[in-house]
């Protein structure tokens, strides 16, 4: 009888916790925004040749080589 009461209490608490959590989350739905049709299209309808000499790209510097510590007291910088 005692085990049955504990199981019933555990199930009641679990179900009520799930009900409270689902009620709290239910009202937080995100709104779907309309698509902005006035912005330019990302893709072109016909292929476009890109002139690589006129394109200026910002590239990150090449990563420096790894410096290994020479002794136990040296810091390892990578």
């Amino acid at each position: 009888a005692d085990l049955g009461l504990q199981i019933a209490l555990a199930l009641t608490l679990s179900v009520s916790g799930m009900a409270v959590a689902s009620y709290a989350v239910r009202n937080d739905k995100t709104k779907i925004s309309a698509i902005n049709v006035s912005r330019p299209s990302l893709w072109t309808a016909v292929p476009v040749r890109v002139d690589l000499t006129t394109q200026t790209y910002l590239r990150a510097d090449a990563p420096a080589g790894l410096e290994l510590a020479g002794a136990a007291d040296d810091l390892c910088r990578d």
Side-chain angles (χ1 to χ4, degrees), residues 11-26:
L11 287 174
T12 303
L13 289 174
S14 298
V15 170
S16 63
M18 286 188 282
V20 168
S22 66
Y23 177 75
V25 173
R26 180 178 54 180

Side-chain angles (χ1 to χ4, degrees), residues 53-65:
T53 59
T54 61
Q55 297 288 327
T56 57
Y57 296 105
L58 297 176
R59 292 189 171 92
D61 294 334

Side-chain angles (χ1 to χ4, degrees), residues 1 4 9 17 20 29 33 35 46 50 60-62 66 78:
L9 285 174
V20 168
K29 291 182 180 176
S33 62
I35 296 174
V46 294
V50 176
D61 294 334
L66 295 177
D78 54 355

Side-chain angles (χ1 to χ4, degrees), residues 5 7-9 13 17-18 24 31 34 36 39 42 45 48 51 53-54 58-59 65 72-74:
L5 178 63
I7 292 172
L9 285 174
L13 289 174
M18 286 188 282
K31 304 270 191 249
N36 183 4
R39 67 186 173 110
L42 179 63
V48 176
D51 186 11
T53 59
T54 61
L58 297 176
R59 292 189 171 92
D73 295 337
D74 293 339

